Each structure stands twice: as C-alpha cells, then as structure tokens.
Amino acid sequence: MKHNTRFRTFSTTLVWMWLGIFVLIPSFLLFATSLLVQGDSELVRLQPTLHNYFRLLDLNYLRVFLRSGLLAGTCTLGCLILGYPFSYLLARMPDRYKGFLLLLVIIPFWTSSLIRSYAIVMILKTHGILNSFLIWVGMIKVPMQFLYTQSATLIGLIYTLLPLMILPLYASIEKLDFRLIDAARDLGARKYQIFFRVLLPLTLPGILAGCILVLLPAMTLFYIPDLLGGAKTILIGNIIQNQFLGARDWPMGATISVALTLLMGMVLFVYWRFYHQHRHEYAYEQN
Amino acid sequence: MLFKNLISLVLLSVLLCPFNTTFAADNVLNIYTWAGYLSDAVISQFETETGIHVNVATYVNNEVLYAKLKANPDSGYDIIMPSSYFISRMRKQALIQKIDHSKLAHYRNINPAFLSKEHDPDNEYSIPYLWNGTGIAYNIRYQAEKSVNTWQDFWLPRYKNQLLLIDDTRECFSMALIALGYSVNDQDPDHIKAAFEKLKALMPNVKLFNMDAQRSIYLDEDITIGMGLNGDIFLASAQNSYLRFIYPKEGFVITLDSIAIPVEAKHVANAHLFIDFVLRPEIAKKIALESGFSTPNRAAKELLPLKVRTNPILYPDAETLKKGQFQTDVGEAAPLYEKYFERLKLEE
Amino acid sequence: MNTHMNRISKVAYLLAIYLFLYMPILVLIVYSFNDSSFSLLWQGFTFRWYESLMQNTDLQIVALHSLLVGFLAATGATGIGTLAAVSLYRYQFFGKKLIHGLIFILIISPDIVTGISLLILFSTLKMSLGFWTLLLSHITFCIPFVTVTVYSRLTGQDKNLFEAAKDLGATEGTIFRRILIPLLWPAICAGWLLSFTLSMDDVIISFFVTGPEFDILPLKIFSMVRVGIKPEINALCSVMFGLTLVIVLVYQLTLGKNNDAI
C-alpha cells in the first residue's frame, strides 16, 4: 500500500511546492497590489480599495480589450487555418522523417524573435525586398505601403505564434488511429464528412490546446505589433506595460492583469463546457 | 533507468553551473547603461589600467531601469546612466547616492553649460556623460530644403500621414508644450490639457510612433520628415546625404544622460575610479565618437576631428544651445502626462 | 491521376509553409553580409561582421549563457510539467482545481506581470539576482506549455491500460516509467522543444530577474534596438542557426533509421 502511493505523493508534492512558491505567492501578491493605491515615492500605499476596478469600467479600456481580442482572435484563426493541414500532413509522414520535419519547424524559432521581426521589417520596408521584387517584375511602379499597417502586425503575430499551434496539434493528431479515416472512406464518406465528423472531434483537444497557447500570448504581446504596426494603436499589452513602467501605477497594472485573467478564464470556461457537451454528444452518437 | 539518468543529468548540470561568488569580490565593477554608450575598447582600457573586472549590462529605456531599481534596490549595479529627469526622481526617492567630487580630478573638463541644472543642483548625485537634442529631421529629396523651421510646421496639412514621432510621453508633450510657448517641465494641468488637445489635432499627420532605431528609418527613407535625435541623424546623414536636421526656432529638448551610483552599490570606490576615467579628454572623445552622440566634456570636444566638432547638428552654437530645455521631474503631474498620452493612442 | 495531383499539392503546401517559416531566416543570413552598420537595405557584401564576431567574446559568452539556461530550463520544465499533467489527469488530490487555476494563471499572465511578481518574490526572499533566479523563473513560465501539450495527448487514452497494469501489480512509479512516458513521448519532446524555444527567446521576464553577472542573448539584442541592431548580431544568429541545422541533419542521418524516432 505504501509503495503504491509513493510516486503519487512525490509527484503531487513536487508540483504543489513549485507552483505554490513560484505562482501562488506571486499571484497573491499581485492581487493584493491591485487593491492598493499608487504611491508617490513608494510604489504603493497600503490603503486597500476597490477603486482601481471601478476605473476599469472606462469605455476606452473596453475598446482596447475588444481591439486586442479581435487581433488575437484573428491571429489564432490564421494560425489554425495554416497550422492544421500542416500538422496533419506532418503526422501522416513516414515515421523516419516525422521527428526531423518537426524539428525543422522549430529551428527557426530558436533564433531571436526580435531579429526575425526585423527581418520581416526588412522584407516589408518601403525600399525593402518585397517592394523591390514587385517593382522589378513590373507589377507596381511606386513602392507600396506594407509596413506600419494592421496587416503587417497580423503577419508578424501569426509568424511568431505558429509553432505554438503546430506542436500541440501535431501531438494530438499523431496519436490518432488513422485506420478510422480509412474505414470512413471505405464506408463512402466524402472528404468534408471525414473531416467534420471524424477528424475534428478526435483532434479537438489538440485544437483547443493550440488555440489557448496562441490566443493568450497574442492578447498580451506588444513589441511585435509596435514594431510592425507603428505603435499608433494601443493594445492591452501596451497598457499594462505603460502602467508598470510609464505611469508607475503598479496597482492599476495589477488590476488590468487580474481583469484580463478573469476574462480569459470565462472564455476558457465557455470553451470547456462546449467541449464537454460535444464529447457527450459524440459518445452518444457512437452508440 | 530513465529516472537515474535524469538525476545524474541534473547533478551534472548543477556542478557545471556558475556559482556567483564573484559578486562580492572586490575587483569588480557592474555597469548598467544604454546600448552603444560604452564600447569594448574603452572598457578594456579601463580593465587593463586598473585591474578591475567590468560587467556591462544594457537597458533599453529609463522606465525599465527605474522599475528594476525600485522593485529591488539591491540590484547589484554600481554605475547607472539615467536621463536627467530620472536623476531628479531617483534623487528625491533616495535611490542614488552622493558622488565624491574630491575623487574626480577631471571634473573640471565638463562644460559649465551642462552643470548645476534644475534636476541636480551642484551635481551632487550625477555627472554628465552624453547629451542629445531632439529636433526635426527631414529628407530633401521629398521635402523642400528649409521648408521646415518650427515644431508648429508639423501641423500643416501637407504632412498628412507622414510624420515620425518618438514614442515617449515627455518627448511628444515637450514638442506640443514648446509649440504653445510653455516649459517642457510644466506642471499646470490646464497647460498639459492644452498640449494634449494640440497633439490630438496632430494625430492625422502621424504615420508612426517609433521607439527603436531611427537611423535605419530615416536612412532607408521609410519616413521623410519627423522628430529626430541629433546623434542618430548625424550618423544617418553620413550614409544618406539627403538628410537634414534642424533645431526648431521655438526651442527643443536636451536630454542629458548622466552617471549615477545606486544607493546599494557594493563597489563605490571602483565606481569613482570609473567616473574619473571617462572624464578624461581622450576617453570622453572616444566615447563620443563611438556612440555618435554629443559630449558635454569641453576638453574632449577640442580633441574631436574638425568635421565633428564644428558640425551644427552635434554641436550647435551657443545661441541655439540656449534655446534647449533640460528635462526635470514633473512630480505630481507625471501620472497626468501618462494618462493623456495613453488617451492619445486610445482614441485613435 | 487524382492521387498524383494530391501528392503534389500536399508537398507544395508543406513547402509553402516551410518557406514562410524560413524566409526571415534567409533574409537575416543574407543581411549578415550587409556592408552597413545601420541601414536595413542592401549596401554591399562584406565579411567584417563575422570577423568582429570572432573577436567579440562578450557576445559569445552571452550566447552560451542563453543556451545553458535554455537547456536546463526546458529539461526542468518538462519534468515538472509532465508530472503535473499526469497528476492532474490520473490522481485526485487536495487542491486539484487550484493547481489547474495556477497553470492557467501562468499562461495568461503577461510577461511583464510574471517578471515583476517574481522579482518581488526574490526580493522578499533576499535572493541575489543572477543565474539561479533566472533559471527558476524560466522553468516556471515554461511549465504550463508542457502541461497543456502533454495533457492534450493524455486525454482519450484508454484508461483500461492503467487498470490492467495495476491489476498486474505495477506501482504508480512503474506505470509512469514504463507506460506513460513511452506513450506520451511525442508530447514530452514537443513540450521540451517548446520550452527551449520560449526560454531562448524570453526578454521581458529575464530582464527583471537576472543580475549583473549573467547576461543573456535576447536581453542584449533587445537593448540594442535603440541604436540599431548591428549585422554582427545577424552573424551570430546565422552561426547559431547553421550549427543547429548541422546537428539536426547529422542526427537524422545517423539515427534516423530508428523506427522509434518521434
């Protein structure tokens, strides 16, 4: 009996201790900070208040949340659309090449994302590679404006976050029993039927994982949008950074973070419920 | 089996890890500065002469330096180089300590025009290192030469969606405040609000806010008119002869980056040695040439090549220099500036 | 005919995505030979950045620091993250929902918030900033990525497997070692790779928690943006990229014959 639980105790204790010290305590400190008030010479004044949360109800903040959400959502969708077929094709490759091809996906991302973003800048600049190429082949006469636009920001974000979508998708697709697909095909199912009724439900965990891993950073990344988009529009990441650094209003920064966490939590909760419901439906249909 | 391997791997890594015993060692100096402000050559020379080992880390702006120091005063750094208005804030919040002038034989080399400013009267807490001025940069291939002379010109309709503004609250507001005739350190909420309204009116003309290297943007002609730092434009114009830089007639901002010693610094004696070292004319000259910015060191300026020291971009005449305003801490008004700057971008 | 077209379009799609991923890399490699300090446009060919890189021991040390932390952090995070995923999936224990929540908080927290809160923690514990605070922080923020990846592979596993093993007398430890790890191996590797990537690239958290004696590459690069990133950094990145590519190719050619490859 004692032997049976030794590993379990070790595992749960280790996880608890690590997360407790490095996540629970700092999170608690953060939440406590959000209840305080900005100080002048000290960072915070020990004066508990809910004032910061009321400040959040400003229309402008809601607009920023919406804008960031839209950008993050579009980016996630883009990553999903680009990444799903890719992960699928990868998972169907012969075993010999799978690992290698997967590594090939990751390797570019061991180069600093900043440098790669600058490379994208080099490509999209007024006299940059893309424009020079287009002028050279005669498609345009005058350089087009690619940089400092919403599209540039989107491209940069998708580029940076794509592997976060590919990896969990791949892990999920790879474990599928592909005979299921062959069986479906034998039974006369058409491509889209196979996709929607077999593939999609079975790989839903991977899709969700990928979406979570992409959506959340996409909400808070600010450097790449600033670099490629020209920093004219403000996103949540900018606001939080401004609070901590520029305005030195740590309590407000903490408040926005807490609010963001709660909001994302609600989104995830909805996702989770939908997934569980769907699973039940699928199981029911199977019977 | 796997488990055992894992344990041995972890143990091996632990053995290979650097243990920070040198932290408390005496012959060390930890410098925290802007990128490009301190070249390897200067550091090597200092190390050879004094035998002190130097660690240099770099930060990207004043705000992060301040946040780091504030959250953890025992940061480990002995030398930092904040801009003037952060010097005054850090001074008031007891984050930096007094500098012993008796140890600085070369202090007299500094141009008095840069000493005893409002942010640090008597320079008890900071020693000027490099300065830069914010002016207007433009490209004569796209803009008529001498067509731009004042900050007010930025508001002309013909510059729609063309301008580059520096992505810094104080810089942008300084521009508007100067155009309205106020001081860049104005704390009057009505004046600040007026500056905000003025900036709001400018937004249609703004193409981008830039917080990184302007050099490549102007050099590669992505932008043909906008705000610029004198040193950046000077270097860019060396490679693109169409670039021009002017100090607007109404006035401009002088950013003075100075050396300071954090309160919890562990190697104060070494820090003083370093400060005196960089005040030497030959060293200050090297620093100026390598960073591309202007030195407040009179003796060093005399040693610069003729083309550099007579260049009106880097070293404007005394008349022009007088119109420059040094930034200092705006105290209570600081959050107000930040809120307005945020609103500027929010209401886009 | 149909399958032939199919095959071509599949390969074309894969290639297109790979091109998308590698285009910026190619650009940065080419520009490491650019004869200009500031311009981001092509000005001519030169080797001087590679020459100055050879002599720039500072930059080399900083790069090695990053690799060291990346390797250790990825390994640590993979260990703890996998245990977390397994524990959450298989065991009922006190505060399980809370652990779920903590992992979620880690992912959703913006870097700057994680960085500052960890800095405050270290400051309160009077730990001096440097290698250890950096490593602990990196492990921490990589854990959720491993957990999510491994967990998504766990769901849908046949629970009967574990019941059967238990009936045969296996301890939890054995189940973990002999069943779970091989089963989850692709996800574990994916998690490790993800963590390594995130660690190598992290700027904001590292900025707040590292000390004067331990500088890392992304910080160095980030701080250079104000003056413009010299092609020397491009040269360094090209070298690192080239080395990694060579290692991966060698691995594939020599061990690729192994059927159990990922």
Side-chain angles (χ1 to χ4, degrees):
Chain A
M1 252 353 262
K2 213 158 63 157
H3 276 251
N4 214 8
T5 57
R6 190 170 64 176
F7 177 79
R8 185 187 121 167
T9 321
F10 164 72
S11 176
T12 51
T13 316
L14 178 62
V15 172
W16 241 114
M17 265 179 46
W18 192 282
L19 292 181
I21 297 177
F22 294 107
V23 186
L24 186 60
I25 297 181
S27 303
F28 181 72
L29 289 173
L30 189 74
F31 182 67
T33 311
S34 75
L35 297 172
L36 299 175
V37 172
Q38 178 186 24
D40 321 301
S41 63
E42 284 312 309
L43 275 171
V44 294
R45 253 185 297 165
L46 289 170
Q47 203 183 305
T49 172
L50 281 176
H51 178 66
N52 294 321
Y53 286 96
F54 286 120
R55 279 169 64 190
L56 267 186
L57 296 175
D58 189 333
L59 194 66
N60 284 324
Y61 279 128
L62 294 173
R63 212 190 291 168
V64 174
F65 266 97
L66 219 68
R67 197 185 291 153
S68 303
L70 214 65
L71 187 65
T74 319
C75 169
T76 310
L77 203 65
C79 284
L80 191 59
I81 294 177
L82 281 180
Y84 196 97
F86 184 83
S87 307
Y88 180 79
L89 290 173
L90 213 61
R92 299 297 305 255
M93 283 276 151
D95 278 340
R96 214 160 21 124
Y97 301 125
K98 264 194 221 170
F100 175 63
L101 287 175
L102 195 66
L103 269 180
L104 275 189
V105 171
I106 310 294
I107 292 177
F109 294 85
W110 288 338
T111 311
S112 161
S113 66
L114 204 61
I115 301 285
R116 284 178 294 121
S117 301
Y118 272 103
I120 298 181
V121 169
M122 283 183 215
I123 298 176
L124 298 177
K125 269 167 100 78
T126 315
H127 294 297
I129 299 177
L130 188 58
N131 268 322
S132 307
F133 175 71
L134 290 175
I135 292 182
W136 184 64
V137 293
M139 277 182 78
I140 55 175
K141 288 245 160 46
V142 174
M144 282 179 70
Q145 193 55 43
F146 293 116
L147 213 51
Y148 312 130
T149 60
Q150 276 273 56
S151 332
T153 306
L154 205 59
I155 293 177
L157 277 178
I158 293 181
Y159 179 78
T160 310
L161 296 173
L162 194 56
L164 288 176
M165 175 66 77
I166 290 180
L167 282 175
L169 267 181
Y170 171 83
S172 181
I173 297 178
E174 201 264 348
K175 73 172 194 234
L176 274 185
D177 189 353
F178 288 108
R179 293 173 302 178
L180 282 171
I181 301 191
D182 295 337
R185 202 180 294 136
D186 287 344
L187 288 170
R190 281 192 290 238
K191 277 249 168 74
Y192 75 88
Q193 282 176 319
I194 299 182
F195 179 70
F196 280 104
R197 318 254 337 243
V198 181
L199 258 189
L200 205 58
L202 285 177
T203 54
L204 207 55
I207 295 179
L208 280 179
C211 285
I212 294 173
L213 289 185
V214 171
L215 188 72
L216 302 182
M219 288 284 287
T220 54
L221 266 181
F222 62 88
Y223 190 81
I224 293 174
D226 274 354
L227 186 63
L228 293 167
K232 267 188 91 170
T233 52
I234 203 164
L235 299 169
I236 292 191
N238 298 99
I239 297 212
I240 296 180
Q241 190 212 22
N242 280 348
Q243 298 306 320
F244 277 109
L245 299 180
R248 283 172 297 128
D249 193 350
W250 289 34
M252 193 60 195
T255 311
I256 300 181
S257 299
V258 172
L260 186 65
T261 310
L262 289 173
L263 189 71
M264 291 282 100
M266 288 196 298
V267 169
L268 255 117
F269 185 65
V270 167
Y271 241 159
W272 196 250
R273 288 293 294 268
F274 170 76
Y275 168 60
H276 268 287
Q277 233 185 1
H278 195 97
R279 266 190 89 194
H280 283 280
E281 280 173 18
Y282 177 65
Y284 180 69
E285 274 180 25
Q286 261 197 316
N287 293 340
Chain B
M1 193 53 229
L2 180 67
F3 215 54
K4 283 216 183 108
N5 282 341
L6 219 61
I7 302 270
S8 21
L9 186 68
V10 169
L11 280 175
L12 199 65
S13 340
V14 167
L15 286 173
L16 289 174
C17 285
F19 275 90
N20 286 337
T21 47
T22 56
F23 183 84
D26 270 337
N27 252 358
V28 171
L29 183 66
N30 295 315
I31 301 181
Y32 204 27
T33 180
W34 303 83
Y37 265 27
L38 205 52
S39 70
D40 292 333
V42 170
I43 297 174
S44 312
Q45 194 176 339
F46 180 73
E47 284 182 322
T48 325
E49 266 184 40
T50 59
I52 301 175
H53 177 69
V54 175
N55 293 315
V56 179
T58 48
Y59 53 83
V60 70
N61 59 35
N62 288 304
E63 281 80 8
V64 294
L65 167 68
Y66 175 80
K68 194 158 179 190
L69 229 57
K70 196 76 187 176
N72 187 0
D74 190 8
S75 60
Y77 296 108
D78 308 305
I79 295 259
I80 54 176
M81 298 197 193
S83 302
S84 52
Y85 59 109
F86 269 87
I87 296 275
S88 56
R89 189 188 295 168
M90 287 181 177
R91 182 169 55 93
K92 290 182 197 156
Q93 297 181 10
L95 287 174
I96 51 181
Q97 53 175 287
K98 289 204 185 165
I99 299 181
D100 188 357
H101 283 210
S102 66
K103 296 200 179 147
L104 305 177
H106 295 98
Y107 182 75
R108 54 190 157 77
N109 289 337
I110 305 179
N111 186 339
F114 294 98
L115 292 175
S116 299
K117 292 291 165 198
E118 200 184 328
H119 65 272
D120 187 13
D122 302 324
N123 283 89
E124 289 180 302
Y125 292 88
S126 62
I127 307 290
Y129 185 72
L130 285 172
W131 70 270
N132 51 69
T134 313
I136 301 181
Y138 65 101
N139 186 319
I140 57 172
R141 254 210 315 187
Y142 302 89
Q143 314 285 347
E145 185 143 20
K146 303 239 199 284
S147 60
V148 175
N149 293 301
T150 61
W151 290 119
Q152 186 58 41
D153 287 336
F154 272 177
W155 274 259
L156 293 169
R158 69 165 181 252
Y159 295 127
K160 185 149 168 112
N161 202 27
Q162 288 195 47
L163 296 176
L164 178 152
L165 294 189
I166 298 181
D167 197 11
D168 179 83
T169 313
R170 294 293 300 272
E171 290 280 2
C172 287
F173 270 87
S174 298
M175 176 181 69
L177 287 165
I178 292 178
L180 288 170
Y182 302 133
S183 147
V184 303
N185 300 311
D186 208 316
Q187 297 196 27
D188 185 337
D190 291 325
H191 293 177
I192 302 176
K193 181 145 196 265
F196 164 69
E197 301 291 342
K198 196 156 172 72
L199 280 175
K200 200 140 174 244
L202 185 62
M203 287 306 273
N205 282 8
V206 176
K207 189 167 183 194
L208 83 132
F209 285 92
N210 169 259
M211 26 97 224
D212 62 346
Q214 304 169 338
R215 296 174 200 178
S216 65
I217 295 185
Y218 282 109
L219 186 54
D220 299 333
E221 300 181 344
D222 286 292
I223 292 280
T224 56
I225 179 163
M227 291 172 83
L229 291 179
N230 62 348
D232 285 333
I233 306 302
F234 172 73
L235 285 170
S237 62
Q239 296 192 16
N240 184 334
S241 52
Y242 296 109
L243 290 174
R244 297 284 180 274
F245 179 87
I246 58 146
Y247 292 101
K249 290 206 175 73
E250 311 114 309
F252 57 97
V253 168
I254 294 184
T255 307
L256 186 60
D257 291 330
S258 310
I259 307 179
I261 305 181
V263 147
E264 307 251 357
K266 303 259 182 329
H267 310 103
V268 180
N270 292 353
H272 280 91
L273 281 174
F274 176 77
I275 299 179
D276 197 42
F277 177 73
V278 298
L279 285 175
R280 279 193 233 165
E282 336 79 62
I283 305 296
K285 160 191 161 224
K286 260 200 215 157
I287 291 173
L289 282 177
E290 277 157 6
S291 68
F293 288 103
S294 318
T295 176
N297 190 314
R298 247 190 322 200
K301 184 177 159 207
E302 296 310 313
L303 296 178
L304 288 170
L306 187 67
K307 260 178 98 178
V308 177
R309 80 176 120 98
T310 54
N311 188 300
I313 301 179
L314 285 180
Y315 297 101
D317 55 52
E319 267 291 310
T320 317
L321 204 58
K322 264 209 279 250
K323 292 201 220 130
Q325 302 188 30
F326 290 84
Q327 290 176 319
T328 183
D329 189 28
V330 285
E332 305 269 310
L336 194 59
Y337 275 101
E338 291 297 333
K339 285 194 187 48
Y340 275 126
F341 194 60
E342 198 178 84
R343 264 182 71 182
L344 201 64
K345 294 197 188 175
L346 264 174
E347 292 167 7
E348 243 304 283
Chain C
M1 181 63 210
N2 221 3
T3 41
H4 198 62
M5 276 300 291
N6 241 349
R7 176 88 65 82
I8 293 188
S9 51
K10 281 185 186 161
V11 170
Y13 186 81
L14 281 178
L15 279 179
I17 298 285
Y18 274 117
L19 192 68
F20 175 64
L21 292 177
Y22 276 83
M23 182 68 116
I25 302 282
L26 292 173
V27 169
L28 85 90
I29 294 181
V30 167
Y31 273 78
S32 66
F33 297 103
N34 189 14
D35 194 3
S36 168
S37 307
F38 316 116
S39 174
L40 291 181
L41 300 178
W42 185 255
Q43 307 283 359
F45 192 93
T46 177
F47 274 115
R48 63 178 159 123
W49 303 114
Y50 285 91
E51 287 165 6
S52 94
L53 177 65
M54 292 304 158
Q55 296 165 356
N56 195 342
T57 42
D58 242 0
L59 208 54
Q60 292 164 13
I61 291 179
V62 159
L64 281 169
H65 281 176
S66 276
L67 286 169
L68 182 67
V69 172
F71 194 83
L72 292 174
T75 312
T78 308
I80 300 181
T82 309
L83 287 177
V86 169
S87 304
L88 286 172
Y89 184 72
R90 297 215 55 222
Y91 311 135
Q92 293 298 332
F93 54 92
F94 171 72
K96 184 165 161 169
K97 284 238 154 65
L98 182 61
I99 297 288
H100 258 123
L102 288 178
I103 301 231
F104 165 72
I105 287 180
L106 258 185
I107 301 188
I108 181 61
S109 282
D111 279 353
I112 195 169
V113 171
T114 316
I116 292 191
S117 38
L118 282 171
L119 177 62
I120 297 179
L121 179 73
F122 294 135
S123 185
T124 321
L125 294 176
K126 297 261 186 281
M127 286 180 74
S128 74
L129 301 177
F131 171 76
W132 286 107
T133 52
L134 188 68
L135 184 61
L136 294 172
S137 309
H138 276 225
I139 293 179
T140 307
F141 80 75
C142 287
I143 287 177
F145 294 94
V146 177
T147 307
V148 168
T149 310
V150 172
Y151 196 85
S152 80
R153 175 133 176 145
L154 266 174
T155 56
Q157 292 297 344
D158 190 357
K159 295 214 180 184
N160 293 325
L161 260 175
F162 309 128
E163 295 304 317
K166 266 209 175 129
D167 289 342
L168 288 169
T171 62
E172 284 296 329
T174 320
I175 293 183
F176 182 75
R177 271 197 342 258
R178 316 268 316 256
I179 301 181
L180 280 171
I181 291 194
L183 208 58
L184 298 170
W185 191 245
I188 294 180
C189 288
W192 193 96
L193 287 174
L194 204 53
S195 303
F196 184 72
T197 311
L198 291 169
S199 167
M200 284 289 287
D201 204 14
D202 174 71
V203 173
I204 302 181
I205 298 182
S206 306
F207 171 81
F208 284 105
V209 300
T210 194
E213 317 243 330
F214 201 81
D215 203 2
I216 50 171
L217 190 59
L219 281 181
K220 203 153 186 92
I221 297 179
F222 191 65
S223 65
M224 287 177 75
V225 296
R226 186 169 168 260
V227 288
I229 300 196
K230 287 225 205 79
E232 201 176 346
I233 300 283
N234 282 15
L236 177 66
C237 292
S238 307
V239 167
M240 286 172 74
F241 173 75
L243 280 174
T244 336
L245 206 58
V246 164
I247 294 177
V248 168
L249 277 170
V250 164
Y251 174 83
Q252 171 66 11
L253 289 172
T254 55
L255 302 170
K257 307 208 179 100
N258 193 352
N259 228 0
D260 301 67
I262 301 173

